[in-house]
Amino acid sequence: MIERLHKNTKIKIISLLSAIVLWMYVMAVVDPEDTKLYENIPITITNLNEIKDLGLVVDPDDNLVTSVYIKGKLSDLQKISANNIDVYGTVSNPIEGQNQLYLRASVNDKVTTEFKSDTIVINLEKSIEEEKNITVNITGVYKDNVDKVDLDKTKVVVSGPRSSVDSVKYVQATFDANKESVDTKSTELELKALDSEMNEVDHVTLEFNKVTAKVSYFQQKQVKINPIFSSNESNLVQDQDFTIIPSEINIKGKSDVINNIDSINTKIINVDELGTNNKIVDLDIPDGINADKDSVTIKLINKNKTKNSTFIYSGDDISLLNNEEDVSINDFEIPDDIIVKIQYDNNSDRISKNDLKLYLDLSEGIVSGTRYAITHNDINVKSITIEPSYITAK
């Protein structure tokens, strides 16, 4: 195979040299003409100042490029690139709306140019200015700690094509609260023109691109929980008679408000509703204050502090057992209040009203005028007195 390649070497060399000489002859002597297409050549509008003086701007969505055929000697075409081609356009008698842009190209004197079309249609829009309010968007991990952001300017003029300016619904300054702070500080915030879907709007100009912001933070402190009992139970002592979990909470607010607060009160607590079980109590948080908790858990721990409890029941609190005749509590003469008095001994835990259930046993049937004793579930206390102790069937 290799031996065959070495055969006729002189002939092959002569053929190659002949081809080179012929090509040089064609390029140097004959130099044939050719046509080449150049695409996406940008167009420069020559009377742009005239258009601006009329209060018009070119629609930013118009694609101001064209394609050019260039015809000339092959050697000249090889020297031309898209960067060497200048295309100019002129709008005669510009008006708002669609206009004809008349094209011409400039390359060099040795070639000729031709367009697929020597005119294109462009849209001219009215250039407008509109004043927009500046809004503030607070982001970041610590955004809830920011009280307010005051800007040195609250309005900005937006200019540009009518369609673009009309699409601007917000001019927004964003503050990123990425660091914890309690000190007031000043910073510069960049402005962005946004549409109704919070996307940035192109082809508009803002009167200024930045504003100075004064950022104020909420003050924070830890305060104790102050339980508020009904007046006759005010002698209860925390950690001796009851516990509160948590006993302190974190609050934040404006400095002039938070500096005057040393504790947060609970809603009024009726101790008769407390027992040794946990009870959730809402907090009475002042206006203008944020807290990390809105309720606490409280329970009694001193069994003997109060020897007695008094609960008031209504007819709706009484259950009907063995009610085979399917009567209702309304079939009985029910007093307005049923008073239940509890007496504790040293071995009994304090109970709440919810711990004590009242009921009527109707296993003997119901007869008009018959009195039925009000009974209760088993409770480990010294004594239970119910007044009245019975009710009468109608």
Side-chain angles (χ1 to χ4, degrees):
M1 182 69 180
I2 296 177
E3 292 178 355
R4 291 182 181 179
L5 293 174
H6 289 144
K7 291 181 179 180
N8 302 320
T9 303
K10 291 182 179 180
I11 296 175
K12 292 177 181 177
I13 293 174
I14 293 172
S15 298
L16 177 61
L17 292 174
S18 298
I20 293 173
V21 170
L22 181 60
W23 178 79
M24 293 177 64
Y25 171 77
V26 169
M27 293 300 297
V29 179
V30 178
D31 198 8
E33 286 196 348
D34 196 5
T35 300
K36 188 175 180 180
L37 176 64
Y38 294 85
E39 296 179 308
N40 296 318
I41 306 300
I43 301 170
T44 301
I45 299 177
T46 57
N47 61 330
L48 200 57
N49 288 334
E50 178 189 357
I51 293 172
K52 289 181 179 179
D53 290 342
L54 294 173
L56 301 172
V57 291
V58 178
D59 187 338
D61 292 328
D62 282 351
N63 191 20
L64 293 180
V65 296
T66 188
S67 298
V68 183
Y69 289 103
I70 297 182
K71 184 178 181 180
K73 297 291 185 180
L74 187 60
S75 58
D76 292 327
L77 292 180
Q78 290 177 339
K79 300 175 183 178
I80 297 174
S81 68
N83 294 331
N84 304 131
I85 304 170
D86 295 319
V87 175
Y88 302 95
T90 302
V91 180
S92 297
N93 302 316
I95 59 171
E96 185 175 4
Q98 293 188 336
N99 294 259
Q100 293 285 337
L101 185 64
Y102 297 91
L103 306 178
R104 67 181 188 278
S106 173
V107 186
N108 62 49
D109 296 336
K110 297 181 180 181
V111 297
T112 59
T113 60
E114 184 178 347
F115 296 99
K116 287 184 177 180
S117 173
D118 58 3
T119 62
I120 64 171
V121 176
I122 65 169
N123 189 54
L124 297 183
E125 284 195 63
K126 196 71 176 176
S127 178
I128 66 171
E129 294 184 347
E130 192 170 311
E131 191 174 58
K132 304 278 188 178
N133 291 324
I134 301 174
T135 62
V136 178
N137 179 36
I138 303 174
T139 62
V141 177
Y142 300 102
K143 65 179 182 180
D144 292 336
N145 291 350
V146 177
D147 176 14
K148 60 180 178 177
V149 177
D150 292 321
L151 305 179
D152 63 336
K153 300 181 182 67
T154 58
K155 296 178 182 291
V156 62
V157 174
V158 182
S159 59
R162 187 197 305 274
S163 61
S164 297
V165 174
D166 286 346
S167 68
V168 176
K169 302 304 179 185
Y170 313 94
V171 176
Q172 191 173 85
T174 298
F175 174 70
D176 185 11
N178 58 358
K179 293 182 179 179
E180 190 172 16
S181 179
V182 294
D183 299 323
T184 299
K185 69 176 185 178
S186 294
T187 185
E188 279 197 333
L189 302 180
E190 186 178 350
L191 298 180
K192 289 186 178 181
L194 305 175
D195 62 18
S196 58
E197 296 183 353
M198 308 306 288
N199 298 314
E200 192 165 2
V201 178
D202 296 325
H203 314 302
V204 295
T205 301
L206 301 180
E207 180 186 7
F208 44 84
N209 295 318
K210 292 183 178 181
V211 290
T212 299
K214 182 181 179 181
V215 183
S216 302
Y217 290 86
F218 288 122
Q219 300 300 302
Q220 302 182 57
K221 67 189 299 187
Q222 191 173 62
V223 295
K224 292 183 177 182
I225 301 299
N226 181 34
I228 303 298
F229 292 99
S230 52
S231 58
N232 63 329
E233 302 294 347
S234 59
N235 59 336
L236 292 176
V237 179
Q238 186 170 346
D239 295 329
Q240 294 181 17
D241 305 311
F242 63 91
T243 59
I244 292 180
I245 301 174
S247 60
E248 295 182 334
I249 62 171
N250 295 313
I251 62 172
K252 59 185 176 183
K254 297 178 183 295
S255 57
D256 56 342
V257 176
I258 205 169
N259 288 341
N260 296 321
I261 296 177
D262 295 317
S263 63
I264 295 293
N265 293 338
T266 65
K267 300 288 187 179
I268 295 178
I269 304 168
N270 184 351
V271 76
D272 287 336
E273 296 179 356
L274 296 178
T276 53
N277 294 323
N278 293 339
K279 179 177 177 61
I280 296 176
V281 179
D282 291 334
L283 298 177
D284 190 9
I285 299 173
D287 292 337
I289 293 295
N290 293 320
D292 60 353
K293 303 284 185 183
D294 58 8
S295 64
V296 294
T297 300
I298 183 171
K299 74 172 183 177
L300 294 177
I301 57 176
N302 189 331
K303 303 176 185 178
N304 304 313
K305 184 70 179 182
T306 304
K307 294 294 185 178
N308 301 289
S309 293
T310 300
F311 303 136
I312 299 176
Y313 290 80
S314 67
D316 292 335
D317 297 320
I318 300 177
S319 300
L320 302 179
L321 302 183
N322 303 308
N323 186 15
E324 295 180 0
E325 299 182 33
D326 195 26
V327 297
S328 73
I329 197 66
N330 295 325
D331 293 317
F332 297 86
E333 296 176 0
I334 305 296
D336 292 336
D337 294 324
I338 299 171
I339 310 299
V340 178
K341 296 180 178 180
I342 311 294
Q343 187 175 11
Y344 302 101
D345 57 27
N346 293 334
N347 296 319
S348 57
D349 292 334
R350 185 177 183 83
I351 68 170
S352 68
K353 179 181 176 182
N354 291 334
D355 295 325
L356 183 65
K357 310 297 183 183
L358 302 184
Y359 60 87
L360 300 180
D361 185 357
L362 304 181
S363 59
E364 300 296 328
I366 180 170
V367 178
S368 177
T370 301
R371 298 193 302 180
Y372 294 85
I374 303 175
T375 57
H376 57 80
N377 58 318
D378 290 334
I379 295 289
N380 182 25
V381 294
K382 183 176 181 180
S383 66
I384 298 177
T385 304
I386 303 175
E387 300 176 0
S389 61
Y390 61 87
I391 57 176
T392 304
K394 294 181 180 178

